[in-house]
Amino acid sequence: MKKFLVYMCALVISLNVMGVDVSAEASKSITYTSTISKDTVYNGTDFTITLDFTMDGDTPESAMLYLDTNESYSISEGYNIRLSKSDLNSTYTLHAKCIGSSKSITTKLTSEDITTPIEGTILINNIGSESSSGSSTPTDTSKYTPELVIENQEIPTANAGSDIDLALKLKNAGTYTAKNITVELIPPTDKDFSYETNTISLIDKIQQLKKTETAELNYSFLVKDSTPAKTYSCQLKYTYFNLYGDKVEKTQDIYIKVRKGFPSVDLRLSEVTNDPEIIKAGQKVQLSFLVNNNYGLSTVSALDVTLEGLGKGFTIVDGVNGRRISNLRPDAEGEKVTFDLFASSDLKKGSYPITVNLKYKDSSNAEKEVKKEIYLMVDSGNTDIAIRNIKAPTGQINASQQFNVSFDIVNTGEVKAEDLIVTVKGDEEIVPMSQNIQVINEMEVGATKQLTYKFQPTEEAKTKTHLLNIEIKGKDEAAFTTINQYVGVYVKAKKENSEGTSSKPIIIVDNFKIASESTQSEITNAGENFDVTLYFKNTHDSKKVKNIKVSLGAEENTDTDKAKSGSVFTPVESSSTFFIKEIAPGQSIEKQLKIFTIPFAASKVHNLNLEIYYEYESDEKLLTETIKDAIPVTVIQPSSFITSDIKIPESMFVGEQTDIEFEISNTGRTSLDNFTVQIEGFGSTNSRTYLGNLETGRTNYYSNEIWINEEGEVTGTLVFTYTKPDGKEEEVRKEFKTVGQAMDFGPSEGDMGMDMGDFEMPGQEKKSNKTLIIIISSVAAVAVIVTIIIVRRKIKKKKEMNFDE
């Protein structure tokens, strides 16, 4: 080895003696001179800087020019400029503006052909503020203000009872340097926010931040478990100076979100059931539910469960309003509590709240109380009234001739009907000759009531079929859907009676049938087709009618939107006019039509108008007649609704509570009555919620607390039910899923508490973990170093032994 080094030294000396250059090839260089367009510049002065380049060797393809203006000059071309080969072979002009007090600009020029950057200085005669009238005005340096902001604005989240760590990045987003920076975190001043700081100080000191530079800020504090779940506002207070010593003070709001944590005691009600499931007035009902403490961390004792809010609809059957639970541990499944109640006989259909009062002693033997509310749904039963055996004149009624209309009202429902108001109304040319409003106080299930009304056409009554509307209303409109039924009576005008009632044949609509394609009933949905069958009858006993032309018409939709206006009914696959060759005396002719209902038709009874033109012979003369009639068609709007996004966590701890919240909007054109939301597959505070009637275009808000009781994938279902305008109940189901994870509470420690030494809150890390990792890493590193030293010594010793041999 020594010989090799000797030979190398000799070689180098020989080469030097022989004059061989062993250094690198001389690099190319660029020099340049600068010219300022103005001899003197002031703050706000615009001027140009011209650079004249000189090459020592070939011109490089490109170069980079870096300018440091010490924040005293703004350069329009930028501060990092790439110069092309053509720029280097000519003069290059910079457009500058004086904004500070420095008298020089430092330059640095680099290129791939230049091994060492070329640095230089451009001198500028900067005298600050411009003189005026022999006096100088001092420069306002406060305008050179840096702008400090927090760059990452994501809202940190923590559970109540755990640590929250704020890792913030402070950035100088302005143009000027900030010095002597002080940042103070001011925690939320909200009285509900309770915390303990984990850091030595909430104040940070930063020496300097230049333009675009950033600094890390870290704060940590414990959010106490008594802090309610919501978003809180805290502040960062900045104090710093610009390069001229001007002080700047500002604040910036920072938001933190607190979620519900794990309080020491959190009593819940679950598996709320009532038997029977549908409660009716005057019935006994058994109310049961589980009281559990699975969401708390310590045992409660002497737990008394009582009911409040009784007497307004429900009463205790056995007279004992109270149940005692001796103790309730967090790891217990819960205690079932049952009350026997009686629903008052005068209860109406609806949802009735009952308050459950939970009074207990906590682990420190302090008495506490919490109240939970549950709802009992009362259904008054199905009140179903039918109109049967309608009797009205089938022949011709002359003007001023009285006639009777009678019918039967039958209670076909499941419960007694009360306070029914029955009204029969005709048009303005048909007047009642008896009381046209009758009240039925009560009707037992299956009972029949016959009612008779007397009417008379006025002398001005026109020749046509006049419609009479039979309407049945309930005193409680929310519990009883109004019923409408129509009957037609043909009236002959007075002026035509003198000619003799038998001389002129009359065509009447003897009967009609309506069949909806979707509802399979006489009620049709707006925007859909329905079939109508018309029976035209010639009432004359000897004369036939011929060349009959029937024209269809309908009332106009009354919507103010012109795009939604137009005729309510339109014939499908046929014209609005059809022809019948003839109808013999006393004969009926059947005609079937398909009609389309416009989508914007209002939910009510609309008339399908008929104009009947026909010819007949009298005294060997051909005469004509035109009669108008109308067919009532009940139209309803299809119901629909949407919900906002239904969000739950992708995974949940067994027994962990989470909020499920969303909005329900009625997007249809009809009211959704008795709207109810039920949760299946999950535990919930209120498994069935009654929201009432949801009017068209309105939005209602739904909120509930849910939890899971098993591990693995759990599927839940939201069941939406409501009553449609035709009285039928609609059900819509939506599924949602999550994954259940086990929550380990650790071994129990007696009835009055648990050993919380090994219990770690979700979202928390044991602070000792970091220390333990550092110690283990240090020991491992020392062991590696010692091992290397020992091995090297053994190798060295072995070599020495070999050398001695």
Side-chain angles (χ1 to χ4, degrees):
M1 182 66 184
K2 292 181 179 180
K3 290 181 179 182
F4 176 75
L5 293 175
V6 171
Y7 290 150
M8 290 299 297
C9 291
L11 178 61
V12 172
I13 294 171
S14 299
L15 291 173
N16 286 332
V17 171
M18 294 171 63
V20 178
D21 188 1
V22 296
S23 63
E25 181 183 354
S27 62
K28 301 175 183 179
S29 63
I30 305 174
T31 59
Y32 57 89
T33 58
S34 60
T35 305
I36 310 302
S37 63
K38 294 190 179 181
D39 296 334
T40 302
V41 298
Y42 309 94
N43 282 336
T45 302
D46 292 316
F47 62 98
T48 59
I49 302 172
T50 302
L51 301 178
D52 191 3
F53 298 97
T54 302
M55 304 296 142
D56 181 10
D58 295 336
T59 305
E61 293 298 322
S62 65
M64 286 297 299
L65 177 64
Y66 300 96
L67 304 173
D68 184 1
T69 67
N70 201 19
E71 300 184 2
S72 293
Y73 302 94
S74 63
I75 308 297
S76 299
E77 288 72 21
Y79 301 92
N80 303 323
I81 304 171
R82 178 173 292 278
L83 301 173
S84 64
K85 187 174 184 178
S86 61
D87 294 331
L88 296 171
N89 281 325
S90 62
T91 59
Y92 190 83
T93 303
L94 300 173
H95 297 82
K97 183 174 183 178
C98 179
I99 58 174
S101 59
S102 176
K103 296 181 179 296
S104 63
I105 298 176
T106 303
T107 64
K108 183 170 68 174
L109 191 67
T110 63
S111 171
E112 293 181 356
D113 300 327
I114 302 173
T115 57
T116 303
I118 301 171
E119 297 183 350
T121 302
I122 300 173
L123 299 178
I124 302 171
N125 185 20
N126 183 353
I127 62 174
S129 301
E130 186 173 2
S131 300
S132 176
S133 303
S135 62
S136 62
T137 303
T139 304
D140 180 14
T141 57
S142 63
K143 61 185 178 181
Y144 308 117
T145 303
E147 184 66 27
L148 301 185
V149 295
I150 295 298
E151 191 172 37
N152 54 328
Q153 286 290 332
E154 293 183 3
I155 300 178
T157 303
N159 291 329
S162 64
D163 289 336
I164 187 166
D165 297 315
L166 292 178
L168 306 175
K169 183 178 289 186
L170 181 66
K171 180 180 181 180
N172 185 355
T175 308
Y176 310 103
T177 299
K179 292 187 175 183
N180 301 326
I181 304 165
T182 301
V183 183
E184 179 182 3
L185 174 68
I186 302 174
T189 56
D190 192 312
K191 63 180 181 180
D192 291 335
F193 188 81
S194 181
Y195 72 99
E196 292 179 1
T197 180
N198 295 332
T199 53
I200 298 175
S201 174
L202 297 179
I203 298 177
D204 282 287
K205 300 281 188 179
I206 303 169
Q207 183 178 359
Q208 176 179 285
L209 282 180
K210 292 184 179 180
K211 180 179 66 174
T212 72
E213 285 186 342
T214 60
E216 299 292 335
L217 304 176
N218 293 283
Y219 307 98
S220 177
F221 42 85
L222 172 67
V223 181
K224 294 185 178 180
D225 58 13
S226 60
T227 302
K230 66 178 180 179
T231 301
Y232 297 88
S233 171
C234 54
Q235 286 188 330
L236 285 176
K237 184 178 179 181
Y238 307 126
T239 302
Y240 54 92
F241 300 84
N242 65 6
L243 292 175
Y244 304 100
D246 297 302
K247 185 177 181 180
V248 181
E249 291 183 330
K250 61 176 289 189
T251 58
Q252 182 177 358
D253 290 335
I254 301 294
Y255 295 93
I256 58 177
K257 185 176 182 179
V258 177
R259 295 182 302 199
K260 290 184 179 180
F262 296 84
S264 57
V265 176
D266 190 0
L267 299 179
R268 305 279 182 86
L269 304 182
S270 61
E271 298 183 25
V272 181
T273 60
N274 48 270
D275 185 19
E277 185 176 349
I278 299 177
I279 304 172
K280 295 184 179 179
Q283 269 189 340
K284 289 183 179 180
V285 58
Q286 190 174 74
L287 172 65
S288 301
F289 51 84
L290 282 183
V291 182
N292 60 63
N293 187 27
N294 299 150
Y295 314 97
L297 301 178
S298 63
T299 300
V300 300
S301 60
L303 174 58
D304 290 324
V305 184
T306 57
L307 301 182
E308 295 181 357
L310 301 175
K312 299 180 180 179
F314 291 89
T315 55
I316 295 289
V317 173
D318 57 12
V320 179
N321 182 12
R323 302 290 186 268
R324 166 62 69 94
I325 301 174
S326 58
N327 61 72
L328 196 59
R329 298 160 53 90
D331 55 351
E333 292 183 358
E335 292 285 342
K336 185 174 182 179
V337 178
T338 300
F339 292 92
D340 292 321
L341 306 176
F342 177 78
S344 175
S345 58
D346 59 355
L347 280 181
K348 302 297 183 182
K349 184 176 181 179
S351 182
Y352 293 84
I354 291 182
T355 302
V356 180
N357 191 348
L358 305 171
K359 186 179 291 186
Y360 63 93
K361 292 182 180 180
D362 62 14
S363 56
S364 61
N365 210 33
E367 285 194 356
K368 294 186 178 179
E369 185 180 53
V370 64
K371 295 183 179 182
K372 302 289 183 179
E373 198 168 60
I374 59 178
Y375 289 84
L376 295 180
M377 187 69 186
V378 175
D379 193 338
S380 58
N382 296 326
T383 302
D384 196 357
I385 299 296
I387 302 174
R388 295 176 179 172
N389 300 326
I390 300 176
K391 295 179 180 179
T394 57
Q396 175 178 294
I397 299 295
N398 295 324
S400 302
Q401 178 184 347
Q402 293 187 3
F403 63 91
N404 292 333
V405 175
S406 64
F407 49 87
D408 293 338
I409 295 179
V410 183
N411 183 359
T412 59
E414 300 174 352
V415 296
K416 180 172 65 174
E418 296 180 331
D419 299 327
L420 300 180
I421 303 172
V422 186
T423 306
V424 181
K425 294 180 180 179
D427 57 29
E428 60 183 9
E429 296 178 353
I430 305 294
V431 295
M433 301 304 292
S434 63
Q435 182 67 34
N436 71 327
I437 299 176
Q438 298 189 42
V439 178
I440 302 175
N441 296 323
E442 61 180 34
M443 284 186 70
E444 297 294 338
V445 176
T448 300
K449 179 80 171 179
Q450 187 181 65
L451 300 178
T452 301
Y453 295 79
K454 183 173 291 187
F455 294 91
Q456 176 181 310
T458 64
E459 292 187 358
E460 293 78 17
K462 296 182 177 63
T463 300
K464 67 174 184 177
T465 299
H466 294 261
L467 295 179
L468 298 173
N469 179 21
I470 304 172
E471 181 183 79
I472 304 177
K473 281 187 175 182
K475 188 174 182 181
D476 183 1
E477 294 185 5
F480 185 85
T481 303
T482 300
I483 299 171
N484 286 281
Q485 180 72 49
Y486 290 84
V487 58
V489 177
Y490 182 75
V491 176
K492 182 72 172 180
K494 182 178 180 180
K495 61 182 180 180
E496 300 172 357
N497 293 339
S498 59
E499 301 175 2
T501 57
S502 62
S503 62
K504 182 187 296 184
I506 302 297
I507 297 177
I508 65 171
V509 179
D510 187 40
N511 195 6
F512 65 90
K513 295 179 182 178
I514 294 174
S516 173
E517 295 180 356
S518 60
T519 64
Q520 301 300 316
S521 68
E522 294 184 353
I523 300 175
T524 184
N525 281 329
E528 296 181 358
N529 296 335
F530 67 91
D531 296 318
V532 58
T533 303
L534 302 173
Y535 298 89
F536 298 96
K537 181 177 182 180
N538 179 0
T539 61
H540 207 278
D541 56 0
S542 61
K543 293 182 181 180
K544 69 176 181 180
V545 293
K546 59 182 180 180
N547 298 330
I548 305 156
K549 183 179 72 172
V550 181
S551 299
L552 301 179
E555 60 188 80
E556 294 291 312
N557 191 37
T558 57
D559 200 299
T560 55
D561 188 348
K562 293 183 178 179
K564 301 178 182 178
S565 61
S567 179
V568 173
F569 301 119
T570 305
V572 178
E573 301 172 357
S574 66
S575 170
S576 60
T577 301
F578 57 89
F579 177 78
I580 300 173
K581 185 176 181 181
E582 65 178 31
I583 303 176
Q587 183 186 9
S588 289
I589 295 294
E590 176 183 324
K591 182 68 177 178
Q592 293 184 342
L593 302 170
K594 187 180 291 293
I595 306 294
F596 173 73
T597 309
I598 65 171
F600 307 106
S603 296
K604 67 174 186 176
V605 177
H606 296 269
N607 285 333
L608 177 63
N609 297 321
L610 304 174
E611 185 175 271
I612 307 170
Y613 167 88
Y614 59 94
E615 298 174 353
Y616 66 95
E617 293 182 357
S618 180
D619 299 331
E620 298 181 356
K621 293 181 181 179
L622 184 64
L623 303 176
T624 63
E625 184 68 32
T626 300
I627 295 176
K628 293 184 179 181
D629 207 339
I631 303 300
V633 181
T634 302
V635 178
I636 61 172
Q637 281 287 343
S639 57
S640 64
F641 71 93
I642 61 172
T643 67
S644 57
D645 292 340
I646 301 172
K647 298 180 180 178
I648 65 169
E650 294 182 357
S651 63
M652 295 171 58
F653 290 109
V654 174
E656 177 190 11
Q657 172 197 350
T658 189
D659 293 328
I660 181 169
E661 301 172 326
F662 53 87
E663 292 181 341
I664 305 168
S665 300
N666 184 353
T667 55
R669 300 187 184 93
T670 186
S671 174
L672 307 179
D673 295 337
N674 302 320
F675 202 98
T676 304
V677 184
Q678 184 174 354
I679 292 182
E680 296 178 353
F682 278 66
S684 61
T685 303
N686 189 9
S687 61
R688 187 179 180 92
T689 303
Y690 177 71
L691 300 180
N693 297 342
L694 187 59
E695 299 296 331
T696 180
R698 297 293 298 274
T699 297
N700 210 334
Y701 179 76
Y702 174 83
S703 176
N704 205 346
E705 295 175 344
I706 62 173
W707 58 87
I708 56 177
N709 298 313
E710 59 185 12
E711 298 178 42
E713 185 175 274
V714 181
T715 300
T717 305
L718 285 166
V719 184
F720 305 92
T721 57
Y722 58 90
T723 304
K724 298 192 296 183
D726 58 1
K728 295 181 180 179
E729 188 174 87
E730 182 80 1
E731 180 180 284
V732 179
R733 304 174 70 90
K734 286 190 177 183
E735 287 189 351
F736 57 97
K737 296 181 179 180
T738 189
V739 177
Q741 299 179 359
M743 180 183 292
D744 185 10
F745 284 93
S748 60
E749 189 179 65
D751 290 340
M752 293 304 297
M754 294 194 300
D755 182 5
M756 299 305 296
D758 295 330
F759 184 78
E760 184 176 342
M761 297 291 292
Q764 282 187 305
E765 296 181 357
K766 294 182 178 180
K767 298 183 180 178
S768 60
N769 286 352
K770 295 183 180 179
T771 306
L772 182 61
I773 292 171
I774 293 172
I775 293 173
I776 293 173
S777 301
S778 301
V779 172
V782 172
V784 171
I785 295 171
V786 171
T787 302
I788 293 172
I789 294 172
I790 293 173
V791 171
R792 291 186 64 181
R793 285 181 178 178
K794 287 185 177 181
I795 294 172
K796 183 177 181 182
K797 186 174 182 180
K798 186 175 181 181
K799 286 183 177 180
E800 290 175 352
M801 291 175 66
N802 293 336
F803 181 77
D804 291 340
E805 291 175 0

